[in-house]
């Protein structure tokens, strides 16, 4: 029988109890000097604490990949966090009860920080309240900051952000050059409090996180330019934290190819039955990971049985040696997994990790339904927060199955709201969080610690309620992803609903992914060419030999879109928009699109979001070449 941490901790507790009893007997019951009794008292207290701690740990579910050092440190970290949580929650509730007061305090703190910078002297002088800020500071987009941030990155002092900048973030940039964004650390700790409250788990269970090392560049001043999610290569603190919380060794986070990185993180996770949480930035990555597990299950089982990374994987020799040293052969676990795989992959996530609380990810491409229908059936999906490289806006407090909704964080981001019907205006009136209404939609405007003031980030949200006095929102769409040929403005959720309805009539069809384009993009380089105004829908289906869609089946998408969108139906009736064209692409086309976008932009695998609207002719041309059934 394998010796587990439960067994070790019971022995440790018994040994500590025995030692404590001996000390008490030798120095308190028998005669001893006062100095010996003081020392013995100190040792008895330590022995008692050691025994109680060990007995407590022995009752908890524990990841067996822990060393004694990481086990104790994770236990202590979570105990301290748990003890301080009531005080942190009290502060949070106070913020949510008086959110406008918290917003004004946050704003004045930022203005005080940046007042003596070039930006502050130009834009922040004389602002002493939220109303002053709204009246005097313009609404902004990224080009307003581009020169300031570039000068800051080049090493120029006193430009705009008067705070320590350790690195620069880079937005996903799926249509070309990403946005350079100063990353300023926020030590509020609110995220940890919310996560502990919402997720909850044994303090010594580990998590699984999918990560692929992005290409790293440096600014002229030598600071790293990285995605928001980034693991430094030579950071002892990052190595220590990851070894304490994650199942994968630190060397796994230095793999820069998507397939190999995903494979290795999954392999080490499979070795631990007691995983408490599975994390990936986007739901599409979770789906790809479990598709890989299903396709490559024999390779996973072989590596787990032998304790060696498969030689077929393209991994640097030094990283491979480190991984092989960390991977312990576990044939018993391999046999257990083989039996589960034989039962099929529906609900496999919860079956191979029966003590998993949830999988944490963001679904922006419609993968949640596919995951729930197969790999993650029966396991809760939790979207922890809503944010972007520019800043973290709000947190999700609910794990009861409702669609992700978020309560604003008034002490870390100032949020203003533009009514949806005014979002096309250059300088519309904004509302503060105590001026908005439930059931209405607004474009978000943010002010953050990273140097953005009244920044239009392009997301549209709907207010679904209030938590105490603080708005609770749901994210609806990004303004740049609207399909819009004749001002009809169709968001991706409507398109996805039309696809899902069409799928019910496409017998034998299983959706892999989809994206859209507007027909004028096809003729972007042409002059004086007449063309029809229509939507182009590219769909990849799971490979089924001989499967084809008839023209009548394809037209179901357009019919569904017309039912769901009144303005689109109007333009179809009068003939100013033609019927949408549905095109099936060959298997692997969306992986090819992903690779192309990452190769030609600043996007990385960790932050890649499959665009639901193609906005460059190069990506449209690539997808047109992949079409097999027009």
């Amino acid at each position: 029988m394998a010796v587990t941490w439960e067994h070790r901790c019971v022995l440790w507790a018994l040994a500590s109890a025995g030692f404590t009893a001996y000390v008490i007997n030798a120095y308190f019951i028998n005669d001893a000097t006062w100095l010996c009794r003081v020392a013995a008292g100190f040792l008895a207290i330590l022995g008692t604490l050691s025994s109680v701690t060990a007995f407590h740990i022995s009752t908890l579910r524990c990841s067996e990949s822990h060393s004694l050092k990481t086990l104790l440190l994770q236990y202590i970290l979570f105990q301290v966090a748990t003890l301080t949580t009531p005080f942190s929650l009290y502060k949070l509730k106070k913020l949510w009860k008086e959110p406008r007061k918290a917003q004004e305090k946050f704003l004045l703190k930022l203005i005080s920080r940046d007042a003596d910078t070039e930006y502050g002297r130009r834009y922040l002088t004389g602002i002493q309240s939220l109303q002053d800020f709204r009246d005097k500071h313009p609404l902004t987009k990224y080009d307003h900051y581009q020169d300031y941030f570039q000068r800051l990155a080049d090493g120029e002092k006193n430009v705009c952000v008067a705070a320590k900048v350790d690195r620069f973030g880079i937005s996903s940039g799926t249509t070309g050059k990403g946005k350079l964004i100063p990353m300023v650390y926020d030590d509020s700790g609110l995220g940890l409090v919310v996560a502990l409250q919402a997720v909850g788990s044994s303090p010594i269970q580990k998590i699984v996180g999918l990560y692929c090392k992005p290409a790293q560049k440096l600014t002229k001043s030598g600071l790293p330019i990285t995605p928001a999610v980034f693991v430094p290569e030579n950071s002892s603190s990052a190595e220590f934290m990851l070894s304490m919380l994650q199942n994968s060794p630190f060397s796994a986070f230095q793999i820069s190819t998507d397939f190999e990185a995903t494979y290795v993180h999954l392999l080490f996770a499979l070795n631990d039955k007691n995983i408490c949480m599975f994390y990936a930035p986007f739901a599409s990555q979770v789906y790809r990971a479990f598709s890989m597990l299903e396709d490559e299950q024999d390779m996973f089982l072989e590596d787990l049985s032998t304790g060696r990374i498969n030689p077929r994987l393209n991994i640097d020799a030094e990283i491979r040696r480190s991984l092989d040293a960390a991977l312990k052969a576990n044939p018993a676990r391999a046999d257990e997994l083989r039996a589960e795989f034989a039962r099929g992959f529906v609900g496999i996530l919860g079956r191979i990790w029966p003590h998993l609380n949830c999988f944490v990810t963001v679904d922006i491409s419609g993968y949640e339904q596919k995951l729930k229908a197969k790999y993650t059936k029966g396991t809760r999906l939790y979207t922890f927060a809503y944010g972007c490289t520019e800043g973290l806006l709000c947190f999700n407090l609910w794990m009861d199955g409702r669609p992700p909704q978020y309560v604003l964080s008034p002490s870390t981001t100032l949020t203003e709201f533009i009514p949806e019907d005014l979002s096309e205006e250059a300088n519309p009136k904004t509302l503060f969080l105590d001026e908005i209404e439930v059931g209405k939609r607004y474009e978000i405007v943010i002010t953050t610690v990273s140097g953005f003031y009244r920044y239009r980030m392009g997301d549209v949200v709907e207010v679904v309620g209030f938590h105490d006095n603080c708005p609770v929102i749901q994210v609806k769409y990004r303004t740049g992803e609207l399909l819009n040929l004749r001002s009809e403005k169709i968001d991706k959720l409507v398109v996805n609903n039309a696809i899902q309805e069409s799928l019910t009539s496409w017998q034998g069809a299983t959706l892999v992914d989809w994206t859209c384009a507007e027909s004028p993009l096809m003729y972007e380089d042409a002059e004086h060419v007449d063309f029809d105004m229509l939507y182009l829908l590219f769909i990849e289906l799971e490979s089924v030999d001989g499967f084809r869609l008839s023209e009548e089946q394809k037209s179901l998408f357009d019919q569904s879109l017309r039912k769901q969108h009144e303005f689109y139906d109007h333009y179809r009736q009068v003939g100013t928009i033609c019927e949408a064209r549905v095109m099936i692409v060959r298997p692997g086309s969306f992986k090819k699109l992903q690779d192309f976008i990452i190769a030609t932009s600043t996007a990385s695998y960790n932050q890649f979001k499959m665009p639901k609207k193609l906005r460059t002719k190069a990506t449209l041309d690539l997808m047109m070449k992949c079409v097999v059934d027009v």
Side-chain angles (χ1 to χ4, degrees):
M1 183 179 71
V3 178
T4 66
W5 275 112
E6 179 184 354
H7 302 137
R8 296 186 187 102
C9 288
V10 168
L11 292 174
W12 167 20
L14 291 173
S16 294
F19 171 76
T20 303
Y22 169 77
V23 168
I24 292 172
N25 181 65
Y27 295 99
F28 282 92
I29 297 177
N30 299 321
D31 290 336
T33 66
W34 69 269
L35 187 61
C36 288
R37 290 194 173 195
V38 169
F42 179 70
L43 290 174
I45 291 171
L46 286 181
T48 302
L49 287 174
S50 174
S51 182
V52 170
T53 299
F55 271 125
H56 184 220
I57 292 176
S58 72
T59 66
L60 300 172
R61 198 170 304 285
C62 178
S63 289
E64 296 301 325
S65 58
H66 272 301
S67 65
L68 178 60
K69 179 181 177 181
T70 61
L71 175 73
L72 288 176
L73 287 170
Q74 184 176 351
Y75 176 80
I76 292 169
L77 173 68
F78 274 77
Q79 293 304 316
V80 170
T82 302
L83 289 172
T84 58
T85 291
F87 175 68
S88 299
L89 282 176
Y90 169 77
K91 291 200 303 182
L92 270 174
K93 289 180 183 297
K94 190 174 180 181
L95 294 173
W96 290 329
K97 285 180 179 177
E98 300 179 301
R100 179 152 179 162
K101 181 179 178 181
Q103 294 266 271
E104 189 155 85
K105 182 178 179 181
F106 171 74
L107 172 65
L108 295 180
K109 182 180 176 181
L110 272 191
I111 290 175
S112 175
R113 184 194 75 180
D114 296 337
D116 291 331
T117 64
E118 179 183 324
Y119 188 92
R121 289 189 295 271
R122 181 173 180 181
Y123 291 104
L124 305 177
T125 301
I127 295 175
Q128 298 180 349
S129 67
L130 284 175
Q131 188 60 50
D132 286 346
F133 186 53
R134 182 161 61 181
D135 292 342
K136 296 179 180 181
H137 195 289
L139 291 171
T140 63
K141 294 189 176 181
Y142 184 76
D143 56 4
H144 176 82
Y145 304 95
Q146 190 165 7
D147 178 62
Y148 289 105
F149 288 171
Q150 187 61 59
R151 289 162 56 198
L152 191 66
D154 291 343
E156 191 173 335
K157 304 296 183 183
N158 213 34
V159 179
C160 55
V161 179
K164 184 180 180 183
V165 178
D166 293 316
R167 63 187 176 100
F168 279 80
I170 191 82
S171 64
S172 57
T174 52
T175 59
K177 189 176 181 181
K179 302 168 185 173
L180 198 65
I181 299 166
M183 303 294 284
V184 177
Y185 177 65
D186 171 27
D187 61 353
S188 66
L190 297 182
L192 178 60
V193 174
V194 173
L196 284 173
Q197 286 295 298
V199 178
S201 66
S202 162
I204 47 177
Q205 284 178 272
K206 290 192 174 185
I207 65 175
V208 184
L210 300 184
Y211 177 85
C212 179
K213 180 183 175 183
Q216 184 178 331
K217 298 179 181 178
L218 298 175
T219 66
K220 285 184 180 179
S221 58
L223 293 177
I225 301 173
T226 68
V229 178
F230 175 66
V231 177
E233 186 172 353
N234 299 309
S235 170
S236 56
S237 59
E239 182 173 1
F240 170 70
M241 288 298 293
L242 287 171
S243 67
M244 182 171 61
L245 300 174
Q246 290 256 171
N247 236 49
S248 305
F250 189 65
S251 52
F253 292 86
Q254 308 310 316
I255 300 173
S256 56
T257 49
D258 183 45
F259 182 91
E260 281 75 9
T262 302
Y263 180 92
V264 168
H265 287 302
L266 267 182
L267 178 63
F268 278 91
L270 290 171
N271 214 357
D272 185 356
K273 188 176 182 177
N274 292 329
I275 292 294
C276 72
M277 186 175 78
F278 189 101
Y279 164 77
F282 299 107
S284 56
Q285 293 168 291
V286 180
Y287 191 86
R288 290 204 316 271
F290 283 93
S291 294
M292 176 192 297
L293 180 61
E294 184 174 15
D295 295 340
E296 306 291 347
Q297 56 184 284
D298 292 338
M299 187 161 74
F300 278 104
L301 295 173
E302 179 185 349
D303 289 2
L304 199 56
S305 297
T306 61
R308 288 290 179 268
I309 303 296
N310 198 286
R312 287 167 44 196
L313 297 178
N314 180 26
I315 297 176
D316 174 81
E318 185 177 345
I319 293 176
R320 181 183 290 276
R321 282 192 293 272
S322 174
L323 296 173
D324 282 341
L327 184 63
K328 307 302 181 186
N330 195 343
R333 177 64 172 158
D335 289 341
E336 186 178 298
L337 291 169
R338 186 176 287 107
E340 291 296 340
F341 294 165
R343 291 173 54 196
F345 278 75
V346 175
I348 193 65
L349 183 68
R351 288 194 283 114
I352 60 179
W353 293 305
H355 311 297
L356 197 75
N357 289 315
C358 60
F359 69 104
V360 177
T361 192
V362 177
D363 180 36
I364 61 171
S365 303
Y367 274 86
E368 181 181 358
Q369 291 182 347
K370 295 171 64 176
L371 284 167
K372 284 184 174 179
K374 191 172 184 182
Y375 299 123
T376 67
K377 187 175 183 178
T379 303
R380 292 179 298 184
L381 181 151
Y382 175 53
T383 302
F384 159 66
Y386 163 49
C388 52
T389 311
E390 290 88 341
L392 193 63
L393 278 70
C394 41
F395 300 102
N396 184 0
L397 305 182
W398 301 274
M399 289 188 67
D400 54 6
R402 70 183 76 179
Q405 56 186 45
Y406 311 92
V407 60
L408 294 174
S409 176
S411 65
T412 57
T413 302
L414 169 58
T415 311
E416 297 173 69
F417 301 83
I418 299 172
E420 186 182 28
D421 58 348
L422 303 180
S423 63
E424 288 191 0
E425 295 184 12
N427 193 34
K429 179 184 177 182
T430 65
L431 303 173
F432 291 124
L433 46 67
D434 58 346
E435 300 171 335
I436 57 179
E437 300 178 43
V438 173
K440 293 192 175 180
R441 292 186 177 187
Y442 303 90
E443 180 191 340
I444 289 283
V445 177
I446 61 173
T447 298
T448 76
V449 294
S450 293
F452 290 100
Y453 288 89
R454 306 197 77 208
Y455 175 67
R456 299 180 70 167
M457 59 184 293
D459 286 6
V460 173
V461 303
E462 181 177 328
V463 180
V464 296
F466 283 83
H467 184 72
D468 290 327
N469 296 317
C470 201
V472 177
I473 62 172
Q474 286 182 345
V475 184
K476 291 304 177 182
Y477 61 86
R478 285 189 66 82
T479 52
E481 286 198 328
L482 286 173
L483 291 171
N484 194 24
L485 290 170
R486 303 284 189 188
S487 73
E488 68 278 13
K489 298 180 185 175
I490 303 179
D491 73 59
K492 65 182 180 183
L493 294 178
V494 174
V495 177
N496 187 64
N497 290 339
I499 293 171
Q500 297 300 326
E501 183 177 339
S502 302
L503 280 169
T504 61
S505 301
W506 296 351
Q507 295 295 325
T510 302
L511 181 68
V512 173
D513 214 334
W514 66 269
T515 191
C516 276
E518 296 162 347
S519 59
L521 189 61
M522 297 178 68
Y523 306 96
E524 185 179 64
D525 299 334
E527 295 184 6
H528 311 299
V529 175
D530 293 329
F531 54 85
D532 292 330
M533 299 289 277
L534 52 86
Y535 299 142
L536 307 168
L537 174 65
F538 299 94
I539 289 184
E540 182 179 328
L541 303 172
E542 287 190 3
S543 180
V544 179
D545 290 341
F547 181 83
R548 287 290 184 273
L549 289 177
S550 66
E551 291 304 314
E552 184 178 351
Q553 287 176 308
K554 290 179 182 178
S555 68
L556 293 174
F557 168 73
D558 188 77
Q559 294 171 27
S560 179
L561 205 55
R562 294 180 68 170
K563 281 193 301 181
Q564 296 185 55
H565 201 281
E566 180 182 352
F567 289 127
Y568 178 71
D569 182 53
H570 167 73
Y571 288 120
R572 287 283 290 110
Q573 286 184 40
V574 299
T576 52
I577 296 180
C578 298
E579 180 177 336
R581 187 182 304 169
V582 176
M583 292 175 281
I584 309 301
V585 296
R586 65 178 60 91
S589 295
F590 279 85
K591 182 63 171 70
K592 185 180 292 186
L593 177 61
Q594 178 192 34
D595 293 341
F596 175 80
I597 291 173
I598 290 173
T600 57
S601 71
T602 57
S604 70
Y605 283 105
N606 298 314
Q607 61 180 169
F608 180 81
K609 304 179 285 288
M610 186 61 70
K612 292 307 173 188
K613 177 181 176 181
L614 301 178
R615 287 183 278 178
T616 68
K617 192 167 187 305
T619 53
L620 176 58
D621 290 343
L622 185 148
M623 293 305 288
M624 290 298 295
K625 292 175 182 176
C626 295
V627 173
V628 292
D629 179 15
V630 185

